[in-house]
């Protein structure tokens, strides 16, 4: 698993870790049922505090992306176990809205935003049919 931390970023480190794990799962770099590195191991590899990685893992667990089991560690949940709830769908839309609005305010057209979304899908190696 390759995670790169940007200490100068405005994004908190625990959030950078969470985002990169999510992207790795979306790309298929990390598979369902796979165990993530231990909190201690990942913290040492990244040169960050263990509490930072622990917070990231708990955030991922709260989102239903991983499950944390004593003695087994953090395990990526299968697609079947990760049922997308209406609330999660609303949260995704809520997170997308300000980004799309900012793009529009800066002058991006609907077509340009759609093109960017397709590029994101391509970057994550996800087919973008119907987008």
């Amino acid at each position: 698993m390759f995670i790169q931390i940007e200490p100068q970023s405005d994004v908190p480190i625990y959030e950078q870790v969470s985002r990169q794990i999510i992207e790795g799962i979306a790309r298929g770099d990390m598979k369902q049922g796979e165990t993530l590195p231990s909190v201690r191991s990942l913290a040492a590899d990244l040169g960050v505090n263990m509490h930072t990685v622990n917070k990231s893992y708990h955030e991922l667990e709260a989102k239903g992306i991983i499950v944390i089991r004593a003695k087994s560690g953090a395990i990526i949940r299968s697609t079947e176990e990760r049922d997308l709830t209406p609330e999660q769908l609303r949260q995704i839309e809520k997170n997308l809205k300000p980004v799309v609005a900012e793009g529009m305010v800066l002058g991006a057209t609907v077509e340009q935003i759609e093109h960017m979304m397709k590029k994101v899908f391509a970057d994550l190696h996800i087919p973008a049919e119907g987008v």
Side-chain angles (χ1 to χ4, degrees):
M1 175 169 52
F2 180 74
I3 295 178
Q4 187 170 356
I5 299 300
E6 296 179 23
Q8 311 310 327
S9 173
D10 291 338
V11 178
I13 293 173
Y14 79 91
E15 200 170 313
Q16 291 181 48
V17 172
S18 295
R19 288 178 182 181
Q20 290 184 49
I21 290 172
I22 290 169
E23 286 181 23
I25 295 168
R27 277 192 309 272
D29 297 342
M30 293 177 266
K31 309 282 188 227
Q32 60 189 27
E34 189 175 319
T35 303
L36 296 175
S38 71
V39 168
R40 178 171 285 142
S41 171
L42 186 56
D45 289 348
L46 299 175
V48 300
N49 190 294
M50 285 183 2
H51 296 294
T52 301
V53 175
N54 193 47
K55 184 173 183 177
S56 174
Y57 280 15
H58 282 331
E59 181 180 274
L60 293 170
E61 184 178 43
K63 290 180 177 183
I65 296 169
I66 66 170
V67 61
I68 299 173
R69 295 192 180 124
K71 304 205 184 213
S72 298
I75 302 165
I76 299 170
R77 295 178 77 179
S78 69
T79 306
E80 295 79 31
E81 294 175 312
R82 289 181 275 166
D83 291 331
L84 182 64
T85 66
E87 178 55 37
Q88 288 171 318
L89 201 53
R90 281 190 293 278
Q91 186 63 44
I92 293 167
E93 183 178 344
K94 181 181 172 185
N95 292 340
L96 279 172
K97 189 180 271 184
V99 174
V100 171
E102 181 178 345
M104 293 173 72
V105 167
L106 292 171
T109 64
V110 171
E111 292 78 19
Q112 287 171 318
I113 291 171
E114 286 176 347
H115 177 75
M116 285 183 263
M117 288 301 299
K118 288 178 182 177
K119 185 176 181 322
V120 168
F121 282 114
D123 289 347
L124 296 173
H125 307 292
I126 300 170
E129 286 84 36
V131 177

